[in-house]
PDB file of all heavy atoms in Angstrom:
ATOM      1  N   GLY A 275     -21.853-100.198-118.845  1.00  0.00           N
ATOM      2  CA  GLY A 275     -22.035-101.141-117.749  1.00  0.00           C
ATOM      3  C   GLY A 275     -23.287-101.969-117.923  1.00  0.00           C
ATOM      4  O   GLY A 275     -23.276-103.191-117.720  1.00  0.00           O
ATOM      5  N   ALA A 276     -24.379-101.325-118.330  1.00  0.00           N
ATOM      6  CA  ALA A 276     -25.641-102.042-118.543  1.00  0.00           C
ATOM      7  C   ALA A 276     -25.546-103.038-119.688  1.00  0.00           C
ATOM      8  O   ALA A 276     -26.203-104.082-119.682  1.00  0.00           O
ATOM      9  CB  ALA A 276     -26.765-101.039-118.808  1.00  0.00           C
ATOM     10  N   ALA A 277     -24.697-102.728-120.672  1.00  0.00           N
ATOM     11  CA  ALA A 277     -24.553-103.601-121.844  1.00  0.00           C
ATOM     12  C   ALA A 277     -23.652-104.802-121.576  1.00  0.00           C
ATOM     13  O   ALA A 277     -23.664-105.753-122.353  1.00  0.00           O
ATOM     14  CB  ALA A 277     -24.008-102.803-123.020  1.00  0.00           C
ATOM     15  N   GLY A 278     -22.850-104.743-120.494  1.00  0.00           N
ATOM     16  CA  GLY A 278     -22.000-105.884-120.163  1.00  0.00           C
ATOM     17  C   GLY A 278     -20.517-105.686-120.363  1.00  0.00           C
ATOM     18  O   GLY A 278     -19.773-106.667-120.544  1.00  0.00           O
ATOM     19  N   ALA A 279     -20.034-104.441-120.314  1.00  0.00           N
ATOM     20  CA  ALA A 279     -18.599-104.201-120.442  1.00  0.00           C
ATOM     21  C   ALA A 279     -17.832-104.924-119.333  1.00  0.00           C
ATOM     22  O   ALA A 279     -18.257-104.941-118.179  1.00  0.00           O
ATOM     23  CB  ALA A 279     -18.302-102.707-120.373  1.00  0.00           C
ATOM     24  N   ALA A 280     -16.697-105.506-119.685  1.00  0.00           N
ATOM     25  CA  ALA A 280     -15.834-106.132-118.676  1.00  0.00           C
ATOM     26  C   ALA A 280     -15.149-105.066-117.825  1.00  0.00           C
ATOM     27  O   ALA A 280     -14.916-105.245-116.637  1.00  0.00           O
ATOM     28  CB  ALA A 280     -14.785-107.005-119.363  1.00  0.00           C
ATOM     29  N   ALA A 281     -14.818-103.942-118.452  1.00  0.00           N
ATOM     30  CA  ALA A 281     -14.183-102.812-117.777  1.00  0.00           C
ATOM     31  C   ALA A 281     -14.442-101.577-118.626  1.00  0.00           C
ATOM     32  O   ALA A 281     -14.889-101.678-119.775  1.00  0.00           O
ATOM     33  CB  ALA A 281     -12.687-103.047-117.598  1.00  0.00           C
ATOM     34  N   ILE A 282     -14.144-100.413-118.064  1.00  0.00           N
ATOM     35  CA  ILE A 282     -14.343 -99.164-118.793  1.00  0.00           C
ATOM     36  C   ILE A 282     -13.050 -98.362-118.757  1.00  0.00           C
ATOM     37  O   ILE A 282     -12.440 -98.181-117.698  1.00  0.00           O
ATOM     38  CB  ILE A 282     -15.497 -98.343-118.186  1.00  0.00           C
ATOM     39  CG1 ILE A 282     -16.819 -99.102-118.361  1.00  0.00           C
ATOM     40  CG2 ILE A 282     -15.594 -96.962-118.837  1.00  0.00           C
ATOM     41  CD1 ILE A 282     -17.999 -98.480-117.667  1.00  0.00           C
ATOM     42  N   SER A 283     -12.626 -97.915-119.922  1.00  0.00           N
ATOM     43  CA  SER A 283     -11.427 -97.087-120.066  1.00  0.00           C
ATOM     44  C   SER A 283     -11.846 -95.630-120.178  1.00  0.00           C
ATOM     45  O   SER A 283     -12.765 -95.304-120.934  1.00  0.00           O
ATOM     46  CB  SER A 283     -10.653 -97.521-121.317  1.00  0.00           C
ATOM     47  OG  SER A 283      -9.652 -96.583-121.653  1.00  0.00           O
ATOM     48  N   VAL A 284     -11.155 -94.760-119.438  1.00  0.00           N
ATOM     49  CA  VAL A 284     -11.483 -93.339-119.458  1.00  0.00           C
ATOM     50  C   VAL A 284     -10.240 -92.547-119.842  1.00  0.00           C
ATOM     51  O   VAL A 284      -9.220 -92.602-119.149  1.00  0.00           O
ATOM     52  CB  VAL A 284     -12.000 -92.863-118.085  1.00  0.00           C
ATOM     53  CG1 VAL A 284     -12.411 -91.395-118.157  1.00  0.00           C
ATOM     54  CG2 VAL A 284     -13.164 -93.719-117.609  1.00  0.00           C
ATOM     55  N   LEU A 285     -10.317 -91.817-120.944  1.00  0.00           N
ATOM     56  CA  LEU A 285      -9.214 -90.943-121.352  1.00  0.00           C
ATOM     57  C   LEU A 285      -9.151 -89.745-120.422  1.00  0.00           C
ATOM     58  O   LEU A 285     -10.147 -89.052-120.225  1.00  0.00           O
ATOM     59  CB  LEU A 285      -9.427 -90.468-122.782  1.00  0.00           C
ATOM     60  CG  LEU A 285      -8.616 -91.146-123.890  1.00  0.00           C
ATOM     61  CD1 LEU A 285      -7.124 -90.905-123.732  1.00  0.00           C
ATOM     62  CD2 LEU A 285      -8.919 -92.618-123.962  1.00  0.00           C
ATOM     63  N   THR A 286      -7.965 -89.510-119.849  1.00  0.00           N
ATOM     64  CA  THR A 286      -7.800 -88.352-118.963  1.00  0.00           C
ATOM     65  C   THR A 286      -6.799 -87.341-119.508  1.00  0.00           C
ATOM     66  O   THR A 286      -6.563 -86.315-118.879  1.00  0.00           O
ATOM     67  CB  THR A 286      -7.367 -88.797-117.554  1.00  0.00           C
ATOM     68  OG1 THR A 286      -6.103 -89.470-117.622  1.00  0.00           O
ATOM     69  CG2 THR A 286      -8.397 -89.709-116.908  1.00  0.00           C
ATOM     70  N   GLU A 287      -6.217 -87.587-120.686  1.00  0.00           N
ATOM     71  CA  GLU A 287      -5.234 -86.668-121.274  1.00  0.00           C
ATOM     72  C   GLU A 287      -5.975 -85.475-121.870  1.00  0.00           C
ATOM     73  O   GLU A 287      -6.851 -85.646-122.718  1.00  0.00           O
ATOM     74  CB  GLU A 287      -4.419 -87.401-122.344  1.00  0.00           C
ATOM     75  CG  GLU A 287      -3.142 -86.688-122.769  1.00  0.00           C
ATOM     76  CD  GLU A 287      -3.390 -85.491-123.665  1.00  0.00           C
ATOM     77  OE1 GLU A 287      -4.334 -85.548-124.501  1.00  0.00           O
ATOM     78  OE2 GLU A 287      -2.668 -84.491-123.526  1.00  0.00           O
ATOM     79  N   PRO A 288      -5.632 -84.224-121.461  1.00  0.00           N
ATOM     80  CA  PRO A 288      -6.436 -83.072-121.863  1.00  0.00           C
ATOM     81  C   PRO A 288      -6.096 -82.466-123.224  1.00  0.00           C
ATOM     82  O   PRO A 288      -6.999 -82.021-123.945  1.00  0.00           O
ATOM     83  CB  PRO A 288      -6.171 -82.063-120.743  1.00  0.00           C
ATOM     84  CG  PRO A 288      -4.790 -82.404-120.259  1.00  0.00           C
ATOM     85  CD  PRO A 288      -4.674 -83.903-120.385  1.00  0.00           C
ATOM     86  N   GLY A 289      -4.831 -82.399-123.571  1.00  0.00           N
ATOM     87  CA  GLY A 289      -4.419 -81.615-124.729  1.00  0.00           C
ATOM     88  C   GLY A 289      -4.767 -82.208-126.074  1.00  0.00           C
ATOM     89  O   GLY A 289      -5.088 -81.478-127.026  1.00  0.00           O
ATOM     90  N   PHE A 290      -4.714 -83.520-126.196  1.00  0.00           N
ATOM     91  CA  PHE A 290      -4.930 -84.191-127.471  1.00  0.00           C
ATOM     92  C   PHE A 290      -6.227 -84.997-127.513  1.00  0.00           C
ATOM     93  O   PHE A 290      -6.699 -85.332-128.591  1.00  0.00           O
ATOM     94  CB  PHE A 290      -3.754 -85.124-127.774  1.00  0.00           C
ATOM     95  CG  PHE A 290      -2.455 -84.410-127.991  1.00  0.00           C
ATOM     96  CD1 PHE A 290      -1.681 -83.981-126.914  1.00  0.00           C
ATOM     97  CD2 PHE A 290      -1.992 -84.153-129.272  1.00  0.00           C
ATOM     98  CE1 PHE A 290      -0.478 -83.322-127.117  1.00  0.00           C
ATOM     99  CE2 PHE A 290      -0.792 -83.495-129.481  1.00  0.00           C
ATOM    100  CZ  PHE A 290      -0.030 -83.069-128.405  1.00  0.00           C
ATOM    101  N   PHE A 291      -6.784 -85.306-126.323  1.00  0.00           N
ATOM    102  CA  PHE A 291      -7.968 -86.158-126.263  1.00  0.00           C
ATOM    103  C   PHE A 291      -9.146 -85.510-125.545  1.00  0.00           C
ATOM    104  O   PHE A 291     -10.193 -86.128-125.380  1.00  0.00           O
ATOM    105  CB  PHE A 291      -7.629 -87.483-125.571  1.00  0.00           C
ATOM    106  CG  PHE A 291      -6.655 -88.339-126.345  1.00  0.00           C
ATOM    107  CD1 PHE A 291      -5.290 -88.180-126.177  1.00  0.00           C
ATOM    108  CD2 PHE A 291      -7.107 -89.294-127.240  1.00  0.00           C
ATOM    109  CE1 PHE A 291      -4.390 -88.962-126.896  1.00  0.00           C
ATOM    110  CE2 PHE A 291      -6.218 -90.083-127.954  1.00  0.00           C
ATOM    111  CZ  PHE A 291      -4.853 -89.910-127.786  1.00  0.00           C
ATOM    112  N   ASP A 292      -8.978 -84.262-125.056  1.00  0.00           N
ATOM    113  CA  ASP A 292     -10.026 -83.553-124.320  1.00  0.00           C
ATOM    114  C   ASP A 292     -10.447 -84.305-123.064  1.00  0.00           C
ATOM    115  O   ASP A 292     -11.608 -84.235-122.635  1.00  0.00           O
ATOM    116  CB  ASP A 292     -11.257 -83.301-125.195  1.00  0.00           C
ATOM    117  CG  ASP A 292     -11.003 -82.287-126.299  1.00  0.00           C
ATOM    118  OD1 ASP A 292      -9.940 -81.631-126.267  1.00  0.00           O
ATOM    119  OD2 ASP A 292     -11.843 -82.155-127.202  1.00  0.00           O
ATOM    120  N   GLY A 293      -9.513 -85.049-122.459  1.00  0.00           N
ATOM    121  CA  GLY A 293      -9.817 -85.788-121.242  1.00  0.00           C
ATOM    122  C   GLY A 293      -9.536 -84.973-119.993  1.00  0.00           C
ATOM    123  O   GLY A 293      -9.005 -83.874-120.044  1.00  0.00           O
ATOM    124  N   ALA A 294      -9.915 -85.531-118.843  1.00  0.00           N
ATOM    125  CA  ALA A 294      -9.701 -84.866-117.566  1.00  0.00           C
ATOM    126  C   ALA A 294      -9.791 -85.898-116.452  1.00  0.00           C
ATOM    127  O   ALA A 294     -10.527 -86.882-116.566  1.00  0.00           O
ATOM    128  CB  ALA A 294     -10.736 -83.765-117.337  1.00  0.00           C
ATOM    129  N   LEU A 295      -9.056 -85.657-115.376  1.00  0.00           N
ATOM    130  CA  LEU A 295      -9.155 -86.540-114.215  1.00  0.00           C
ATOM    131  C   LEU A 295     -10.569 -86.528-113.641  1.00  0.00           C
ATOM    132  O   LEU A 295     -11.015 -87.523-113.065  1.00  0.00           O
ATOM    133  CB  LEU A 295      -8.142 -86.116-113.157  1.00  0.00           C
ATOM    134  CG  LEU A 295      -6.698 -86.554-113.424  1.00  0.00           C
ATOM    135  CD1 LEU A 295      -5.725 -85.756-112.567  1.00  0.00           C
ATOM    136  CD2 LEU A 295      -6.533 -88.051-113.184  1.00  0.00           C
ATOM    137  N   GLU A 296     -11.266 -85.424-113.809  1.00  0.00           N
ATOM    138  CA  GLU A 296     -12.648 -85.343-113.331  1.00  0.00           C
ATOM    139  C   GLU A 296     -13.540 -86.355-114.045  1.00  0.00           C
ATOM    140  O   GLU A 296     -14.511 -86.854-113.471  1.00  0.00           O
ATOM    141  CB  GLU A 296     -13.182 -83.921-113.515  1.00  0.00           C
ATOM    142  CG  GLU A 296     -12.580 -82.884-112.578  1.00  0.00           C
ATOM    143  CD  GLU A 296     -11.157 -82.498-112.924  1.00  0.00           C
ATOM    144  OE1 GLU A 296     -10.733 -82.734-114.086  1.00  0.00           O
ATOM    145  OE2 GLU A 296     -10.438 -81.966-112.054  1.00  0.00           O
ATOM    146  N   HIS A 297     -13.229 -86.651-115.293  1.00  0.00           N
ATOM    147  CA  HIS A 297     -14.007 -87.659-116.024  1.00  0.00           C
ATOM    148  C   HIS A 297     -13.845 -89.030-115.375  1.00  0.00           C
ATOM    149  O   HIS A 297     -14.806 -89.792-115.247  1.00  0.00           O
ATOM    150  CB  HIS A 297     -13.553 -87.732-117.478  1.00  0.00           C
ATOM    151  CG  HIS A 297     -13.778 -86.475-118.251  1.00  0.00           C
ATOM    152  ND1 HIS A 297     -13.168 -86.212-119.468  1.00  0.00           N
ATOM    153  CD2 HIS A 297     -14.559 -85.390-117.983  1.00  0.00           C
ATOM    154  CE1 HIS A 297     -13.563 -85.027-119.909  1.00  0.00           C
ATOM    155  NE2 HIS A 297     -14.395 -84.521-119.026  1.00  0.00           N
ATOM    156  N   LEU A 298     -12.625 -89.331-114.951  1.00  0.00           N
ATOM    157  CA  LEU A 298     -12.357 -90.598-114.276  1.00  0.00           C
ATOM    158  C   LEU A 298     -13.160 -90.694-112.982  1.00  0.00           C
ATOM    159  O   LEU A 298     -13.804 -91.713-112.703  1.00  0.00           O
ATOM    160  CB  LEU A 298     -10.857 -90.727-113.993  1.00  0.00           C
ATOM    161  CG  LEU A 298     -10.378 -91.972-113.260  1.00  0.00           C
ATOM    162  CD1 LEU A 298     -10.612 -93.224-114.088  1.00  0.00           C
ATOM    163  CD2 LEU A 298      -8.890 -91.839-112.923  1.00  0.00           C
ATOM    164  N   ALA A 299     -13.136 -89.632-112.200  1.00  0.00           N
ATOM    165  CA  ALA A 299     -13.872 -89.628-110.930  1.00  0.00           C
ATOM    166  C   ALA A 299     -15.375 -89.771-111.167  1.00  0.00           C
ATOM    167  O   ALA A 299     -16.069 -90.475-110.424  1.00  0.00           O
ATOM    168  CB  ALA A 299     -13.572 -88.342-110.162  1.00  0.00           C
ATOM    169  N   ALA A 300     -15.892 -89.120-112.213  1.00  0.00           N
ATOM    170  CA  ALA A 300     -17.319 -89.183-112.509  1.00  0.00           C
ATOM    171  C   ALA A 300     -17.735 -90.596-112.922  1.00  0.00           C
ATOM    172  O   ALA A 300     -18.789 -91.093-112.499  1.00  0.00           O
ATOM    173  CB  ALA A 300     -17.672 -88.188-113.618  1.00  0.00           C
ATOM    174  N   VAL A 301     -16.900 -91.263-113.717  1.00  0.00           N
ATOM    175  CA  VAL A 301     -17.210 -92.630-114.129  1.00  0.00           C
ATOM    176  C   VAL A 301     -17.155 -93.570-112.928  1.00  0.00           C
ATOM    177  O   VAL A 301     -18.021 -94.431-112.756  1.00  0.00           O
ATOM    178  CB  VAL A 301     -16.251 -93.081-115.242  1.00  0.00           C
ATOM    179  CG1 VAL A 301     -16.363 -94.584-115.498  1.00  0.00           C
ATOM    180  CG2 VAL A 301     -16.539 -92.308-116.526  1.00  0.00           C
ATOM    181  N   ARG A 302     -16.140 -93.397-112.091  1.00  0.00           N
ATOM    182  CA  ARG A 302     -16.026 -94.248-110.897  1.00  0.00           C
ATOM    183  C   ARG A 302     -17.268 -94.132-110.030  1.00  0.00           C
ATOM    184  O   ARG A 302     -17.754 -95.131-109.473  1.00  0.00           O
ATOM    185  CB  ARG A 302     -14.779 -93.829-110.104  1.00  0.00           C
ATOM    186  CG  ARG A 302     -14.642 -94.418-108.710  1.00  0.00           C
ATOM    187  CD  ARG A 302     -14.245 -95.882-108.701  1.00  0.00           C
ATOM    188  NE  ARG A 302     -15.301 -96.756-109.177  1.00  0.00           N
ATOM    189  CZ  ARG A 302     -15.101 -97.888-109.832  1.00  0.00           C
ATOM    190  NH1 ARG A 302     -13.892 -98.298-110.117  1.00  0.00           N
ATOM    191  NH2 ARG A 302     -16.123 -98.615-110.240  1.00  0.00           N
ATOM    192  N   ALA A 303     -17.817 -92.916-109.905  1.00  0.00           N
ATOM    193  CA  ALA A 303     -18.999 -92.703-109.071  1.00  0.00           C
ATOM    194  C   ALA A 303     -20.263 -93.264-109.713  1.00  0.00           C
ATOM    195  O   ALA A 303     -21.234 -93.551-109.017  1.00  0.00           O
ATOM    196  CB  ALA A 303     -19.177 -91.211-108.799  1.00  0.00           C
TER     197      ALA A 303
END
């Protein structure tokens, strides 16, 4: 965000990408 991203993509798929819905919530906050 500080660098100037237009948007941020958050991987939430757990099995193949180690993502989680909690990561999405943390980024949103």
Side-chain angles (χ1 to χ4, degrees):
I282 295 173
S283 168
V284 183
L285 258 296
T286 61
E287 195 285 324
F290 295 81
F291 294 88
D292 291 349
L295 282 163
E296 289 74 19
H297 297 164
L298 179 65
V301 169
R302 169 74 290 148

